[in-house]
Amino acid sequence: ASIIRDQQDAARKLKEKKLDQAITKLQTIASSINSSQFKDEDEFATILAETNQSIENAQDEQFIIAKTSYLEENYKTIFLENYPLATEESLQDPKIDFVKKLDSGLLFKLQCLEKGRGRPLRLVINYLYDPVKDKWSFYNQ
């Protein structure tokens, strides 16, 4: 009964994007099952597998949110490196989207408006994060 209650609480926290709290609750569920005498029963093994998958998914989402925040904070530097004619003052309205997971890392699409030289121009960069090397790079398909 407590596992079901904790699962419902964790699901609510995931839905509310309270990922730290959800992960803590999910880890509590996993610990409860692992320390239980019933851990080898099929039903509990299934719940444990689902719980571990939920933990991994929530951690992945946290990681992507952190990388998206980094890109939002540093978009001007990134665009200035890749569009040398742009000026810092002319870059506005950043939009960062996580595109997909690749074998080589996480692919993000960065966009912003360059204003100041006539009509506003939308600049776009595909940017790849390599978690093994902890490095960002321009991504050319």
Side-chain angles (χ1 to χ4, degrees), residues 62-78:
Q62 270 186 325
F63 191 74
I64 289 168
I65 289 169
K67 295 307 172 193
T68 300
S69 294
Y70 169 82
L71 292 172
E72 286 173 353
E73 292 170 12
N74 294 285
Y75 81 96
K76 288 185 179 184
T77 304
I78 294 164

Side-chain angles (χ1 to χ4, degrees), residues 126-140:
N126 288 318
Y127 221 49
L128 183 71
Y129 177 73
D130 181 344
V132 174
K133 296 179 183 176
D134 191 28
K135 293 203 182 229
W136 290 95
S137 62
F138 179 79
Y139 180 76
N140 189 5

Side-chain angles (χ1 to χ4, degrees), residues 14 19 22-23 26 53-63:
L14 287 170
L19 299 175
I23 290 169
L26 290 165
Q53 185 62 52
S54 294
I55 291 169
E56 186 178 324
N57 292 344
Q59 289 171 333
D60 286 349
E61 188 173 347
Q62 270 186 325
F63 191 74

Side-chain angles (χ1 to χ4, degrees), residues 3 91 136:
I3 290 174
L91 300 175
W136 290 95

Side-chain angles (χ1 to χ4, degrees), residues 45-102:
T46 300
I47 293 170
L48 183 60
E50 291 170 355
T51 300
N52 287 333
Q53 185 62 52
S54 294
I55 291 169
E56 186 178 324
N57 292 344
Q59 289 171 333
D60 286 349
E61 188 173 347
Q62 270 186 325
F63 191 74
I64 289 168
I65 289 169
K67 295 307 172 193
T68 300
S69 294
Y70 169 82
L71 292 172
E72 286 173 353
E73 292 170 12
N74 294 285
Y75 81 96
K76 288 185 179 184
T77 304
I78 294 164
F79 277 100
L80 291 172
E81 288 173 0
N82 293 283
Y83 291 96
L85 295 179
T87 62
E88 188 171 341
E89 306 80 41
S90 68
L91 300 175
Q92 303 173 11
D93 303 323
K95 184 176 182 232
I96 314 298
D97 294 310
F98 171 70
V99 178
K100 63 183 173 180
K101 215 175 202 180
L102 301 171

